[in-house]
Coordinates of all heavy atoms in Angstrom, one line a residue:
S231 N 8.0 -12.8 14.6 CA 7.3 -11.6 15.0 C 6.1 -11.3 14.0 O 6.1 -11.9 12.9 CB 8.2 -10.4 15.1 OG 8.6 -10.0 13.8
G232 N 5.3 -10.3 14.4 CA 4.2 -10.0 13.5 C 4.6 -9.4 12.2 O 4.0 -9.7 11.1
G233 N 5.7 -8.6 12.2 CA 6.3 -8.1 11.0 C 6.8 -9.1 10.0 O 6.6 -9.1 8.8
E234 N 7.5 -10.1 10.6 CA 8.0 -11.2 9.7 C 6.9 -12.0 9.1 O 7.0 -12.4 8.0 CB 9.0 -12.1 10.6 CG 10.2 -11.4 11.0 CD 11.0 -12.2 12.0 OE1 10.5 -13.1 12.6 OE2 12.2 -12.0 12.1
L235 N 5.9 -12.3 9.9 CA 4.7 -13.0 9.4 C 4.0 -12.2 8.3 O 3.7 -12.8 7.2 CB 3.8 -13.3 10.5 CG 2.6 -14.2 10.2 CD1 3.1 -15.6 9.8 CD2 1.7 -14.4 11.5
Q236 N 3.9 -10.9 8.5 CA 3.3 -10.1 7.4 C 4.1 -10.1 6.2 O 3.5 -10.3 5.1 CB 3.2 -8.7 8.0 CG 2.5 -7.7 7.1 CD 1.0 -7.8 7.2 OE1 0.4 -8.8 7.6 NE2 0.3 -6.7 6.8
R237 N 5.4 -10.0 6.3 CA 6.2 -10.1 5.1 C 6.2 -11.4 4.4 O 6.2 -11.5 3.2 CB 7.7 -9.7 5.5 CG 7.8 -8.3 5.9 CD 9.2 -7.9 6.4 NE 10.3 -8.4 5.6 CZ 11.4 -8.8 6.2 NH1 11.6 -8.8 7.5 NH2 12.4 -9.3 5.4
A238 N 6.1 -12.5 5.2 CA 6.0 -13.8 4.6 C 4.7 -14.0 3.8 O 4.6 -14.6 2.7 CB 6.0 -14.9 5.7
F239 N 3.5 -13.5 4.4 CA 2.3 -13.6 3.7 C 2.3 -12.8 2.3 O 1.8 -13.3 1.3 CB 1.1 -13.0 4.5 CG 0.7 -13.9 5.6 CD1 0.4 -13.4 6.9 CD2 0.5 -15.3 5.4 CE1 0.0 -14.3 7.9 CE2 0.1 -16.1 6.4 CZ -0.2 -15.6 7.7
I240 N 2.9 -11.6 2.4 CA 3.0 -10.8 1.1 C 3.9 -11.5 0.1 O 3.6 -11.6 -1.1 CB 3.5 -9.4 1.5 CG1 2.4 -8.7 2.3 CG2 3.8 -8.6 0.2 CD1 2.8 -7.4 2.9
A241 N 5.0 -12.1 0.5 CA 5.9 -12.8 -0.4 C 5.2 -14.0 -1.0 O 5.3 -14.2 -2.2 CB 7.2 -13.2 0.4
K242 N 4.4 -14.7 -0.2 CA 3.6 -15.8 -0.7 C 2.6 -15.4 -1.8 O 2.5 -16.0 -2.8 CB 2.9 -16.5 0.5 CG 2.2 -17.8 0.1 CD 1.6 -18.4 1.3 CE 0.8 -19.6 0.9 NZ 0.2 -20.3 2.1
A243 N 2.0 -14.3 -1.5 CA 1.0 -13.7 -2.5 C 1.7 -13.4 -3.8 O 1.2 -13.6 -4.9 CB 0.3 -12.5 -1.9
L244 N 2.9 -12.7 -3.7 CA 3.6 -12.3 -4.9 C 4.1 -13.5 -5.7 O 4.2 -13.4 -6.9 CB 4.8 -11.4 -4.5 CG 4.4 -10.0 -4.0 CD1 5.6 -9.2 -3.4 CD2 3.7 -9.2 -5.1
T245 N 4.5 -14.6 -5.1 CA 5.0 -15.7 -5.8 C 3.9 -16.4 -6.6 O 4.2 -17.2 -7.5 CB 5.7 -16.7 -4.9 OG1 4.7 -17.2 -3.9 CG2 6.9 -16.1 -4.2
Q246 N 2.7 -16.2 -6.3 CA 1.6 -16.8 -7.0 C 1.3 -16.0 -8.3 O 0.4 -16.4 -9.1 CB 0.3 -16.8 -6.2 CG 0.5 -17.7 -5.0 CD -0.7 -17.7 -4.0 OE1 -1.8 -17.5 -4.5 NE2 -0.5 -18.0 -2.8
E247 N 2.0 -15.0 -8.6 CA 1.9 -14.2 -9.8 C 0.5 -13.7 -10.1 O 0.0 -13.9 -11.2 CB 2.5 -14.9 -11.0 CG 4.0 -15.2 -10.8 CD 4.6 -16.0 -12.0 OE1 3.9 -16.2 -13.0 OE2 5.8 -16.3 -11.9
P248 N -0.2 -13.0 -9.2 CA -1.5 -12.5 -9.4 C -1.5 -11.3 -10.4 O -0.4 -10.7 -10.6 CB -2.0 -12.1 -8.0 CG -0.7 -11.7 -7.4 CD 0.3 -12.6 -7.9
T249 N -2.6 -11.0 -10.9 CA -2.7 -9.8 -11.7 C -3.3 -8.6 -10.9 O -3.1 -7.5 -11.2 CB -3.7 -10.0 -12.9 OG1 -4.9 -10.4 -12.5 CG2 -3.0 -11.0 -13.9
I250 N -3.9 -9.0 -9.7 CA -4.5 -8.0 -8.8 C -4.1 -8.3 -7.4 O -4.2 -9.5 -7.0 CB -6.0 -7.9 -8.9 CG1 -6.5 -7.5 -10.3 CG2 -6.5 -6.9 -7.9 CD1 -8.0 -7.5 -10.5
L251 N -3.6 -7.4 -6.6 CA -3.3 -7.5 -5.2 C -4.2 -6.6 -4.4 O -4.3 -5.5 -4.7 CB -1.9 -7.1 -4.9 CG -0.7 -8.1 -5.2 CD1 0.6 -7.4 -4.9 CD2 -0.9 -9.4 -4.5
L252 N -4.9 -7.2 -3.5 CA -5.8 -6.4 -2.6 C -5.2 -6.6 -1.2 O -5.3 -7.7 -0.6 CB -7.2 -6.9 -2.7 CG -8.3 -6.2 -1.8 CD1 -8.3 -4.7 -2.1 CD2 -9.6 -6.9 -2.0
L253 N -4.7 -5.5 -0.6 CA -4.0 -5.6 0.6 C -4.6 -4.7 1.7 O -4.7 -3.5 1.4 CB -2.5 -5.3 0.4 CG -1.7 -6.1 -0.6 CD1 -0.4 -5.5 -0.9 CD2 -1.6 -7.5 -0.1
D254 N -4.9 -5.2 2.8 CA -5.4 -4.4 3.9 C -4.3 -4.1 5.0 O -3.9 -5.1 5.6 CB -6.6 -5.1 4.5 CG -7.3 -4.3 5.6 OD1 -7.1 -3.1 5.7 OD2 -8.1 -4.9 6.3
E255 N -3.9 -2.9 5.0 CA -2.8 -2.5 6.0 C -1.6 -3.4 5.9 O -1.2 -4.0 6.9 CB -3.4 -2.5 7.4 CG -4.3 -1.3 7.7 CD -3.6 0.0 7.7 OE1 -2.4 0.1 8.1 OE2 -4.2 1.0 7.4
P256 N -1.0 -3.5 4.7 CA 0.1 -4.5 4.6 C 1.4 -4.0 5.4 O 2.3 -4.8 5.6 CB 0.4 -4.5 3.1 CG -0.1 -3.1 2.6 CD -1.3 -2.9 3.5
T257 N 1.4 -2.7 5.7 CA 2.6 -2.2 6.5 C 2.4 -2.3 8.0 O 3.3 -2.0 8.7 CB 2.8 -0.7 6.1 OG1 1.7 0.0 6.4 CG2 3.2 -0.6 4.6
N258 N 1.3 -2.8 8.4 CA 1.0 -3.0 9.8 C 2.1 -4.0 10.4 O 2.4 -5.0 9.8 CB -0.4 -3.6 10.0 CG -0.9 -3.5 11.5 OD1 -0.4 -2.7 12.2 ND2 -1.8 -4.4 11.8
H259 N 2.6 -3.6 11.6 CA 3.6 -4.4 12.3 C 5.0 -4.4 11.6 O 5.9 -5.1 12.1 CB 3.2 -5.9 12.4 CG 1.9 -6.1 13.2 ND1 1.8 -5.7 14.5 CD2 0.8 -6.6 12.8 CE1 0.5 -6.0 14.9 NE2 -0.1 -6.6 13.8
L260 N 5.2 -3.6 10.6 CA 6.5 -3.5 10.0 C 7.3 -2.3 10.5 O 6.7 -1.2 10.7 CB 6.4 -3.4 8.4 CG 5.7 -4.5 7.7 CD1 5.7 -4.2 6.2 CD2 6.4 -5.8 7.9
D261 N 8.6 -2.5 10.6 CA 9.5 -1.4 10.9 C 9.5 -0.5 9.7 O 9.2 -0.9 8.6 CB 10.9 -1.9 11.2 CG 11.0 -2.7 12.5 OD1 10.1 -2.5 13.3 OD2 11.9 -3.6 12.6
L262 N 9.9 0.8 9.9 CA 10.0 1.8 8.8 C 10.8 1.3 7.6 O 10.3 1.4 6.5 CB 10.5 3.1 9.4 CG 10.6 4.2 8.3 CD1 9.2 4.6 7.8 CD2 11.2 5.5 8.9
K263 N 11.9 0.7 7.9 CA 12.7 0.2 6.8 C 11.9 -0.8 5.9 O 12.0 -0.7 4.7 CB 13.9 -0.6 7.4 CG 14.8 -1.3 6.4 CD 15.9 -2.1 7.1 CE 16.6 -3.0 6.2 NZ 17.7 -3.8 6.9
Y264 N 11.2 -1.7 6.5 CA 10.4 -2.7 5.7 C 9.1 -2.1 5.1 O 8.7 -2.5 4.1 CB 10.1 -3.9 6.6 CG 11.4 -4.6 7.0 CD1 11.8 -4.7 8.3 CD2 12.1 -5.3 6.0 CE1 12.9 -5.4 8.6 CE2 13.3 -5.9 6.3 CZ 13.7 -6.0 7.6 OH 14.8 -6.7 7.9
K265 N 8.6 -1.1 5.8 CA 7.4 -0.4 5.2 C 7.8 0.2 3.9 O 7.1 0.1 2.9 CB 6.9 0.8 6.1 CG 6.1 0.3 7.3 CD 5.6 1.5 8.1 CE 4.9 1.1 9.3 NZ 4.2 2.2 10.0
L266 N 8.9 1.0 3.9 CA 9.4 1.6 2.7 C 9.8 0.6 1.6 O 9.4 0.8 0.4 CB 10.5 2.6 3.0 CG 10.2 3.7 4.0 CD1 11.5 4.5 4.2 CD2 9.1 4.5 3.5
A267 N 10.4 -0.5 2.0 CA 10.8 -1.5 1.0 C 9.6 -2.2 0.4 O 9.6 -2.4 -0.8 CB 11.7 -2.5 1.7
L268 N 8.6 -2.4 1.2 CA 7.4 -3.0 0.7 C 6.7 -2.1 -0.3 O 6.3 -2.5 -1.4 CB 6.4 -3.4 1.8 CG 5.0 -3.8 1.4 CD1 5.1 -5.1 0.6 CD2 4.1 -4.0 2.6
M269 N 6.6 -0.9 0.1 CA 5.9 0.1 -0.8 C 6.6 0.2 -2.2 O 6.0 0.3 -3.2 CB 5.7 1.4 -0.1 CG 4.8 1.4 1.1 SD 3.1 0.7 0.8 CE 2.4 2.0 -0.3
K270 N 8.0 0.2 -2.1 CA 8.7 0.3 -3.3 C 8.5 -1.0 -4.2 O 8.4 -0.9 -5.4 CB 10.2 0.5 -3.0 CG 10.5 1.9 -2.5 CD 12.0 2.0 -2.1 CE 12.3 3.4 -1.6 NZ 13.6 3.5 -1.1
E271 N 8.5 -2.1 -3.5 CA 8.2 -3.4 -4.2 C 6.9 -3.4 -4.9 O 6.7 -3.8 -6.0 CB 8.3 -4.5 -3.2 CG 8.1 -5.9 -3.8 CD 9.2 -6.3 -4.8 OE1 10.3 -5.9 -4.6 OE2 8.9 -7.2 -5.7
L272 N 5.9 -2.9 -4.2 CA 4.5 -2.8 -4.7 C 4.5 -1.9 -5.9 O 3.7 -2.1 -6.9 CB 3.5 -2.4 -3.7 CG 3.3 -3.4 -2.5 CD1 2.3 -2.8 -1.5 CD2 2.8 -4.7 -3.0
Q273 N 5.3 -0.9 -6.0 CA 5.3 0.0 -7.1 C 5.8 -0.7 -8.4 O 5.5 -0.3 -9.5 CB 6.2 1.2 -6.8 CG 5.6 2.3 -6.0 CD 6.5 3.5 -5.9 OE1 7.7 3.4 -5.7 NE2 5.9 4.7 -6.1
T274 N 6.7 -1.7 -8.2 CA 7.2 -2.5 -9.3 C 6.3 -3.6 -9.8 O 6.5 -4.2 -10.9 CB 8.6 -3.1 -9.0 OG1 8.4 -4.1 -8.0 CG2 9.5 -2.0 -8.6
F275 N 5.2 -3.9 -9.0 CA 4.3 -4.9 -9.4 C 3.6 -4.6 -10.7 O 3.2 -3.5 -11.0 CB 3.2 -5.0 -8.3 CG 2.2 -6.1 -8.5 CD1 2.6 -7.5 -8.4 CD2 0.9 -5.8 -8.9 CE1 1.7 -8.5 -8.6 CE2 0.0 -6.8 -9.1 CZ 0.4 -8.1 -8.9
K276 N 3.6 -5.6 -11.6 CA 3.1 -5.4 -13.0 C 1.6 -5.3 -13.1 O 1.0 -4.8 -14.1 CB 3.6 -6.5 -13.9 CG 5.1 -6.5 -14.0 CD 5.7 -5.3 -14.6 CE 7.2 -5.4 -14.7 NZ 7.8 -4.1 -14.8
G277 N 0.8 -5.7 -12.1 CA -0.6 -5.7 -12.1 C -1.2 -4.5 -11.4 O -0.5 -3.5 -11.2
T278 N -2.4 -4.7 -10.9 CA -3.1 -3.7 -10.1 C -2.9 -3.9 -8.6 O -3.1 -5.1 -8.2 CB -4.6 -3.7 -10.5 OG1 -4.7 -3.4 -11.9 CG2 -5.4 -2.6 -9.7
V279 N -2.6 -2.9 -7.9 CA -2.5 -3.0 -6.4 C -3.6 -2.1 -5.8 O -3.6 -0.9 -6.1 CB -1.1 -2.6 -5.9 CG1 -1.1 -2.7 -4.4 CG2 -0.1 -3.5 -6.5
I280 N -4.4 -2.7 -5.0 CA -5.4 -1.9 -4.2 C -5.0 -2.1 -2.8 O -4.9 -3.2 -2.3 CB -6.8 -2.3 -4.5 CG1 -7.2 -2.1 -5.9 CG2 -7.8 -1.5 -3.6 CD1 -8.5 -2.8 -6.3
V281 N -4.7 -1.0 -2.1 CA -4.1 -1.2 -0.7 C -4.9 -0.2 0.2 O -5.1 0.9 -0.1 CB -2.6 -0.9 -0.7 CG1 -2.2 0.5 -1.2 CG2 -2.0 -1.2 0.7
V282 N -5.2 -0.7 1.4 CA -5.8 0.1 2.4 C -4.7 0.6 3.4 O -3.9 -0.2 3.9 CB -6.9 -0.6 3.2 CG1 -7.4 0.2 4.4 CG2 -8.0 -1.1 2.3
L283 N -4.5 1.9 3.5 CA -3.5 2.5 4.4 C -4.2 3.6 5.2 O -5.0 4.3 4.7 CB -2.4 3.1 3.6 CG -1.5 2.2 2.8 CD1 -0.6 3.0 1.9 CD2 -0.7 1.3 3.7
H284 N -3.7 3.7 6.5 CA -4.2 4.8 7.3 C -3.1 5.9 7.3 O -3.3 7.0 7.8 CB -4.5 4.4 8.7 CG -5.7 3.6 8.8 ND1 -5.7 2.2 8.8 CD2 -7.0 3.9 8.8 CE1 -7.0 1.8 8.8 NE2 -7.8 2.8 8.8
D285 N -1.9 5.6 6.8 CA -0.8 6.6 6.7 C -0.9 7.4 5.4 O -0.5 6.9 4.4 CB 0.5 5.8 6.8 CG 1.7 6.7 6.9 OD1 1.7 7.9 6.4 OD2 2.8 6.3 7.4
I286 N -1.5 8.6 5.5 CA -1.7 9.4 4.3 C -0.4 9.8 3.6 O -0.4 9.8 2.4 CB -2.6 10.6 4.6 CG1 -3.1 11.3 3.3 CG2 -1.9 11.6 5.5 CD1 -4.1 10.5 2.6
Q287 N 0.6 10.0 4.4 CA 1.9 10.4 3.8 C 2.5 9.2 3.0 O 3.0 9.4 1.9 CB 2.9 10.9 4.8 CG 4.2 11.4 4.2 CD 4.0 12.6 3.2 OE1 3.2 13.5 3.5 NE2 4.6 12.6 2.1
L288 N 2.4 8.1 3.5 CA 2.9 6.9 2.8 C 2.1 6.7 1.5 O 2.7 6.4 0.5 CB 2.8 5.6 3.7 CG 3.6 4.4 3.4 CD1 5.1 4.7 3.4 CD2 3.2 3.3 4.3
A289 N 0.8 6.8 1.6 CA 0.0 6.7 0.4 C 0.3 7.7 -0.6 O 0.4 7.4 -1.8 CB -1.5 6.8 0.8
A290 N 0.5 9.0 -0.2 CA 0.8 10.1 -1.1 C 2.1 9.9 -1.8 O 2.3 10.3 -2.9 CB 0.7 11.4 -0.4
T291 N 3.0 9.3 -1.1 CA 4.4 9.1 -1.6 C 4.4 7.9 -2.6 O 5.1 8.0 -3.6 CB 5.4 8.8 -0.5 OG1 5.4 9.9 0.4 CG2 6.8 8.6 -1.0
Y292 N 3.7 6.8 -2.4 CA 3.9 5.6 -3.2 C 2.7 5.3 -4.1 O 2.8 4.4 -4.9 CB 4.2 4.4 -2.3 CG 5.6 4.6 -1.7 CD1 5.8 5.0 -0.4 CD2 6.7 4.2 -2.4 CE1 7.0 5.2 0.2 CE2 8.0 4.3 -1.9 CZ 8.1 4.8 -0.6 OH 9.4 4.9 -0.1
C293 N 1.5 5.9 -3.9 CA 0.3 5.5 -4.6 C 0.0 6.5 -5.7 O 0.2 7.7 -5.6 CB -0.9 5.3 -3.7 SG -0.6 4.1 -2.4
D294 N -0.5 6.0 -6.9 CA -0.8 6.8 -8.0 C -2.2 7.5 -7.7 O -2.4 8.7 -8.1 CB -1.0 6.0 -9.3 CG 0.4 5.5 -9.7 OD1 1.4 6.1 -9.4 OD2 0.4 4.4 -10.4
N295 N -3.1 6.8 -7.1 CA -4.4 7.3 -6.8 C -4.8 7.0 -5.4 O -4.5 6.0 -4.9 CB -5.5 6.7 -7.8 CG -5.2 7.1 -9.2 OD1 -5.4 8.2 -9.6 ND2 -4.7 6.1 -10.0
I296 N -5.5 8.0 -4.8 CA -5.9 7.8 -3.4 C -7.4 8.1 -3.3 O -7.9 9.1 -3.9 CB -5.2 8.8 -2.4 CG1 -3.7 8.5 -2.4 CG2 -5.7 8.7 -1.0 CD1 -2.9 9.5 -1.7
V297 N -8.1 7.3 -2.6 CA -9.5 7.5 -2.3 C -9.6 7.7 -0.8 O -9.3 6.8 0.0 CB -10.4 6.3 -2.7 CG1 -11.8 6.5 -2.4 CG2 -10.2 6.0 -4.2
L298 N -10.0 8.9 -0.4 CA -10.2 9.2 1.0 C -11.6 8.9 1.4 O -12.5 9.4 0.7 CB -9.9 10.7 1.2 CG -8.4 11.2 0.9 CD1 -8.3 12.7 1.0 CD2 -7.4 10.5 1.8
M299 N -11.7 8.2 2.5 CA -13.1 7.8 2.9 C -13.3 8.2 4.4 O -12.4 8.3 5.2 CB -13.2 6.3 2.8 CG -13.1 5.8 1.4 SD -13.3 4.1 1.1 CE -15.1 4.0 1.3
N300 N -14.6 8.4 4.7 CA -15.0 8.7 6.1 C -16.3 8.0 6.3 O -17.3 8.2 5.6 CB -15.1 10.2 6.3 CG -15.5 10.6 7.7 OD1 -15.2 9.8 8.6 ND2 -16.0 11.8 7.9
K301 N -16.3 7.1 7.3 CA -17.5 6.3 7.6 C -18.1 5.6 6.4 O -19.3 5.6 6.2 CB -18.6 7.3 8.3 CG -18.1 7.9 9.6 CD -19.1 8.8 10.2 CE -18.6 9.4 11.5 NZ -19.5 10.3 12.1
G302 N -17.2 5.0 5.6 CA -17.6 4.2 4.5 C -18.0 5.0 3.3 O -18.4 4.3 2.3
R303 N -17.9 6.2 3.3 CA -18.2 7.1 2.1 C -17.0 7.7 1.5 O -16.1 8.2 2.3 CB -19.3 8.1 2.5 CG -20.6 7.5 3.0 CD -21.7 8.6 3.0 NE -22.9 8.1 3.5 CZ -23.8 7.4 2.8 NH1 -23.6 7.2 1.5 NH2 -24.9 7.0 3.4
I304 N -17.0 7.8 0.2 CA -15.9 8.5 -0.5 C -16.0 10.0 -0.2 O -17.0 10.6 -0.5 CB -15.8 8.2 -2.0 CG1 -15.5 6.7 -2.2 CG2 -14.8 9.0 -2.7 CD1 -15.6 6.2 -3.6
V305 N -14.9 10.6 0.3 CA -14.9 12.0 0.5 C -14.2 12.7 -0.6 O -14.6 13.8 -1.0 CB -14.2 12.3 1.9 CG1 -14.0 13.8 2.1 CG2 -14.9 11.7 3.0
K306 N -13.1 12.1 -1.1 CA -12.3 12.8 -2.1 C -11.5 11.7 -2.8 O -11.0 10.8 -2.2 CB -11.4 13.8 -1.5 CG -10.6 14.6 -2.5 CD -9.9 15.8 -1.9 CE -9.2 16.6 -2.9 NZ -9.2 18.0 -2.7
T307 N -11.2 11.9 -4.1 CA -10.3 11.1 -4.8 C -9.1 12.0 -5.3 O -9.4 13.2 -5.7 CB -10.9 10.4 -6.0 OG1 -11.5 11.3 -6.9 CG2 -12.0 9.4 -5.6
V308 N -7.9 11.5 -5.3 CA -6.8 12.3 -5.6 C -5.8 11.5 -6.5 O -5.5 10.4 -6.2 CB -6.0 12.8 -4.3 CG1 -4.8 13.5 -4.7 CG2 -6.9 13.5 -3.4
N309 N -5.4 12.1 -7.6 CA -4.3 11.5 -8.4 C -3.0 12.2 -8.0 O -2.8 13.3 -8.3 CB -4.6 11.8 -9.9 CG -3.5 11.2 -10.8 OD1 -2.3 11.4 -10.5 ND2 -3.9 10.4 -11.8
T310 N -2.2 11.4 -7.3 CA -1.0 12.0 -6.7 C 0.0 12.4 -7.7 O 0.9 13.2 -7.5 CB -0.4 11.1 -5.6 OG1 0.0 9.9 -6.3 CG2 -1.3 10.9 -4.5
R311 N 0.0 11.7 -8.9 CA 1.0 12.0 -9.9 C 0.7 13.3 -10.6 O 1.6 14.0 -11.1 CB 1.1 10.9 -11.0 CG 1.4 9.5 -10.4 CD 2.8 9.6 -9.6 NE 3.0 8.4 -8.8 CZ 3.2 8.4 -7.5 NH1 3.3 9.5 -6.9 NH2 3.4 7.3 -6.9
A312 N -0.6 13.7 -10.5 CA -0.9 15.0 -11.2 C -0.6 16.2 -10.3 O -0.3 17.3 -10.8 CB -2.4 15.0 -11.4
I313 N -0.5 16.0 -9.0 CA -0.2 17.1 -8.0 C 1.0 16.9 -7.2 O 1.3 17.8 -6.4 CB -1.4 17.3 -7.1 CG1 -1.6 16.1 -6.2 CG2 -2.7 17.7 -7.8 CD1 -2.5 16.3 -5.1
G314 N 1.8 15.9 -7.4 CA 3.0 15.7 -6.6 C 2.6 14.9 -5.4 O 1.7 14.1 -5.4
T315 N 3.2 15.2 -4.2 CA 2.8 14.5 -3.0 C 2.1 15.4 -2.0 O 2.0 15.0 -0.8 CB 4.1 13.9 -2.3 OG1 5.0 15.0 -2.1 CG2 4.7 12.9 -3.2
C316 N 1.6 16.5 -2.4 CA 0.8 17.4 -1.5 C -0.7 17.1 -1.6 O -1.2 17.0 -2.7 CB 1.0 18.8 -1.8 SG 2.8 19.3 -1.7
I317 N -1.3 16.8 -0.5 CA -2.8 16.6 -0.5 C -3.4 17.7 0.3 O -3.0 18.0 1.4 CB -3.1 15.2 0.0 CG1 -2.5 14.2 -0.9 CG2 -4.6 15.0 0.2 CD1 -2.8 12.8 -0.5

């Protein structure tokens, strides 16, 4: 399935021990259980993770910093650790 393939690609990337991960919608095609597991796994990653998400609640829960964009322009930047999970 698409979710299994997505998880395999991410696992392959992690085994290469990168210092930076750039992921575009990594939770796409994943069931909720695997979305949450992936985001928790990314939180333990020792390097830098830059991830594109359309799910603002997921981003607010798991990401330290959020950049909100509209039509390719930055609208707002938020440090979620400074304010909790409310945006």
